[in-house]
Amino acid sequence: RMILGLTYSEFDNKIGPQLRFAYPCDILSKDIFESYSEYVIMSKPLCDKVITVFHKDMKFMNYSVAIENPKYHRNTLTFAFGLILHRESETEYYENALRKISYSFVHLETETEILFSNESKQQIPDILKILFEDLNSKMESFTYLDKN
């Protein structure tokens, strides 16, 4: 397997960057996440860029996005999807996949509030699992999402 794991993180306005979901769920310990969390959710000037951090034999790639809308606390929803790879993995393909995943969720959030609604957000672990399995086996993924 090329991808070791996938993550979804959000910026919590009270406590900072938070790892909300990961697949596999034990791929990233709380301590490891906290040690590199400042590189997960980036400030607006560094959003929409792939940020890569190395830890031992792993490579963490994250892509932060900030959606501005008055309905969000402080008028912004900031989130990041991430990939965990072997340190030696080539990243070009994965950078493109990470961008596509993030852009897809920008559109989903705009249309359905999948990230704003706590109920809808509960689909993310299943989506991460599908992405993990598909990207590792077929190097592509097409996922059907229930509108609820």
Side-chain angles (χ1 to χ4, degrees):
R1 288 189 176 163
M2 301 293 281
I3 297 174
L4 302 174
L6 287 103
T7 62
Y8 169 74
S9 306
E10 290 178 337
F11 185 80
D12 183 296
N13 289 301
K14 294 179 183 163
I15 51 180
Q18 297 295 300
L19 176 63
R20 297 291 186 211
F21 304 107
Y23 187 87
C25 59
D26 61 349
I27 188 66
L28 206 56
S29 73
K30 185 177 181 179
D31 290 341
I32 293 174
F33 177 80
E34 287 178 358
S35 72
Y36 85 99
S37 65
E38 66 186 282
Y39 304 105
V40 175
I41 304 291
M42 304 304 295
S43 62
K44 287 181 189 175
L46 291 175
C47 281
D48 301 315
K49 294 181 180 8
V50 175
I51 304 295
T52 303
V53 177
F54 297 92
H55 178 79
K56 297 184 182 178
D57 61 342
M58 294 186 285
K59 179 186 301 189
F60 304 98
M61 297 172 55
N62 285 282
Y63 193 87
S64 293
V65 177
I67 301 174
E68 295 184 12
N69 189 308
K71 70 181 172 189
Y72 303 124
H73 190 258
R74 294 191 184 168
N75 300 321
T76 305
L77 172 66
T78 308
F79 66 91
F81 279 90
L83 296 173
I84 302 168
L85 309 168
H86 291 285
R87 186 180 189 99
E88 316 80 42
S89 298
E90 293 293 325
T91 60
E92 186 176 345
Y93 164 77
Y94 297 106
E95 288 177 7
N96 290 330
L98 194 53
R99 280 187 196 94
K100 287 178 183 178
I101 292 166
S102 299
Y103 288 141
S104 295
F105 273 88
V106 167
H107 295 293
L108 284 168
E109 173 59 22
T110 303
E111 295 172 14
T112 68
E113 296 186 339
I114 190 170
L115 305 175
F116 185 60
S117 161
N118 285 329
E119 185 178 331
S120 294
K121 196 184 301 184
Q122 298 313 307
Q123 297 178 78
I124 294 176
D126 293 334
I127 295 167
L128 292 178
K129 180 180 184 212
I130 291 166
L131 289 168
F132 177 83
E133 292 170 352
D134 287 355
L135 293 174
N136 274 326
S137 65
K138 302 182 279 191
M139 298 198 62
E140 65 180 9
S141 184
F142 299 95
T143 305
Y144 172 78
L145 298 176
D146 187 355
K147 285 190 174 191
N148 300 327

